Amino acid sequence: MRFSGTFIHTLKEPPKDAVLPSHKYLVQGGFIQQVASGIYNFLPLGKIVLEKIRSIVKEELDRAGAIEVQLGFVTPCDLWEESGRLGKYGKELLRFTDRKENCFLLGPTHEEMMVNLVRGRITSYKQLPINLYQIGLKFRDEARPRFGLLRAREFVMKDGYSFHSSYEDMEREYRLMEETYRRIVERIGLEFRVVEADVGAIGGSASKEFMVLAESGEDDIALCTGCSYAANVEAATRRAPTPPQEAPEFSNFEPFYTPNLTSIEELSKFFKVHPYYFVKAVAKKAVFDDREEIVLFFLRGSDELQEVKALNAVGANELRDVGDGELREAGIVPGFIAPFDQNCRIVLDRDLQGARGVICGGNREDYHLIGADLSRFDESLFCDIAEVREGDGCPHCGAPLKITKGIEVGHIFQLGTRYSEAMGAVFLDENGKARPFVMGTYGIGVSRLIAAAIEQNHDERGMIWPQEIAPYTVDIVVSNMKEEGQRLFAEELYRELLQAQVEVILDDRPDRFGVKIRDFELIGFPYAIIVGRGLKEGKVEVVRRRDLHREEVEMGHVKDYIVELAKK
């Protein structure tokens, strides 16, 4: 391809609203164009990268035995009503009606559509297992779309769904998809971790996320420094913390006057006791399908509430903050809340189970209880709701956990029968008995991988594409197109590299050399061949984009040299 013959338009400045490098450089480098909030056009360079990633995904899935289909982007609301998700998904689900007042939605995910495709067609255990996937557009009406392709409303995604006659077979396919996804991300050339994760709105019994490591990632992930344990902090667990010092000696359940002392920090100074020995109360309003209610979460004063864990503990759709006025109306004393004698649901963190001699609110203004004993509380009240922190012990080996940032690019789930039961999707087993399909689901953010690659591979000059997905491997930069020797050599080299099946672009624009080099660095082609004054001495310069290393190469050897680089 020639610069003069394609549609590449770089910008002098990045968009003003761009914060992350991928957003800045993909727009500035002419890969994408924003047309509305969270909606982007893919220009030629962006489309090439998108298709390369799509091709890698397809090759690996086909190799694993999955079968590609293409489902409608528009989904009837009736299917989501069958599964019970229509009212639960929230405002991110874009609904609309057609001229006949039929309800439709733009699918952010296609569990219902795929179940509808399979039910009635797969009727016997002899036809199982089967794994169907598609690669296409999705839409999620994000409240605050931002960061370019990392949190867009419209995006390209691969979503796959497997159907099985048993949980054992579903777990086998789940492991196969994990290995398949590993190969996909490895081929793209990204550093990543597979982490345990929360199942979220998709549901199921277990899930894992594929996290590309990047400082700009929105997700916090806990990595063990001693073993392979890794988990999103929303699902991460830890070994029970070691008490920081000798426990204080208090009489049992004595009220103590603590005027205007409501924070753990204030109380810790007042009592000269480590925050570990306090019981912290966090009040939230839990929103369900048919009601709202106040829930009180209790954990050690040295811990913080992990809201996703808390949400899952009560099975709510959403947790909201609750004001002091609402608490008082419910008979709850803000700042002095005890984990007993409440007219609402309470949940205690698992690390408080069996705790004695702790300090908690006294359910009375300006009073706390010292020497509280939680050992007699019902076991069902305790759940893991504390957020894992850096330095906590790994639940597997006890080594310290490290917290780092990651970008979720893939997610696999063990769904079980959640959707098949709700939608009446059954098959006949060996005994002729109707049973619901056991399902797994597997997603990859194809367009998100473009942004993740740049978040992990860039510098202050622009993008640095991993070679497997670069729009072109080599950029031939002609220093002066008016100089016939340079132009003719570049043209011949361009033809030779094309014949050798090297992905090459010839910068034949009449622009200044500085403009061409800035575009090479911004766009991030893995290599550039500078055809300039050195040609008089029989040499050209090869620049490696990753570190801008420059090397002079004999003009007669440059073609073979580049072919070898391209093979790597």
Side-chain angles (χ1 to χ4, degrees), residues 385-445:
I385 56 173
E387 184 160 280
V388 167
R389 297 162 302 182
E390 185 144 339
D392 283 343
C394 170
H396 292 177
C397 72
L401 294 173
K402 176 185 176 183
I403 307 297
T404 189
K405 292 286 187 180
I407 299 169
E408 180 193 342
V409 296
H411 206 155
I412 60 176
F413 299 81
Q414 296 183 23
L415 279 185
T417 60
R418 172 181 175 178
Y419 293 88
S420 54
E421 279 187 341
M423 299 182 68
V426 299
F427 67 96
L428 296 180
D429 66 11
E430 304 94 305
N431 301 314
K433 183 179 178 181
R435 292 175 49 199
F437 294 107
V438 181
M439 293 177 59
T441 186
Y442 322 96
I444 292 180

Side-chain angles (χ1 to χ4, degrees), residues 474-477 493 497 527-531 540-542 558 562:
V474 183
D475 177 17
I476 300 176
V477 179
L493 178 61
L497 290 175
Y527 300 98
I529 302 171
I530 310 299
V531 180
V540 296
E541 199 170 44
V542 175
V558 67
I562 290 296

Side-chain angles (χ1 to χ4, degrees), residues 164 166-176 414:
H164 308 269
S166 68
Y167 277 89
E168 292 77 14
D169 194 57
M170 179 269 289
E171 290 167 0
R172 174 202 55 76
E173 189 75 7
Y174 181 82
R175 292 190 294 270
L176 174 61
Q414 296 183 23

Side-chain angles (χ1 to χ4, degrees), residues 427-501:
F427 67 96
L428 296 180
D429 66 11
E430 304 94 305
N431 301 314
K433 183 179 178 181
R435 292 175 49 199
F437 294 107
V438 181
M439 293 177 59
T441 186
Y442 322 96
I444 292 180
V446 177
S447 53
R448 174 176 272 219
L449 272 164
I450 296 175
I454 297 307
E455 291 302 322
Q456 197 176 86
N457 298 276
H458 67 272
D459 59 19
E460 71 281 357
R461 299 171 186 262
M463 298 170 275
I464 304 171
W465 287 103
Q467 190 163 314
E468 187 83 15
I469 61 170
Y472 295 95
T473 303
V474 183
D475 177 17
I476 300 176
V477 179
V478 184
S479 179
N480 183 1
M481 283 296 292
K482 294 179 180 179
E483 210 285 312
E484 187 176 18
Q486 294 181 22
R487 180 176 58 78
L488 291 176
F489 176 79
E491 291 278 1
E492 180 60 26
L493 178 61
Y494 173 64
R495 286 191 291 271
E496 289 177 352
L497 290 175
L498 284 178
Q499 290 173 359
Q501 297 185 325

Side-chain angles (χ1 to χ4, degrees), residues 145-208:
R146 58 196 187 279
F147 306 148
L149 298 182
L150 282 182
R151 189 166 288 279
R153 292 196 293 166
E154 184 181 82
F155 51 97
V156 179
M157 178 180 169
K158 173 266 162 180
D159 52 324
Y161 309 86
S162 63
F163 298 82
H164 308 269
S165 60
S166 68
Y167 277 89
E168 292 77 14
D169 194 57
M170 179 269 289
E171 290 167 0
R172 174 202 55 76
E173 189 75 7
Y174 181 82
R175 292 190 294 270
L176 174 61
M177 286 298 103
E178 179 179 343
E179 290 307 310
T180 300
Y181 276 31
R182 285 180 184 272
R183 288 196 300 271
I184 288 169
V185 186
E186 286 168 357
R187 280 187 58 182
I188 291 171
L190 304 181
E191 184 182 0
F192 70 100
R193 295 290 186 276
V194 183
V195 306
E196 296 176 14
D198 175 61
V199 298
I202 301 297
S205 58
S207 76
K208 290 184 179 181

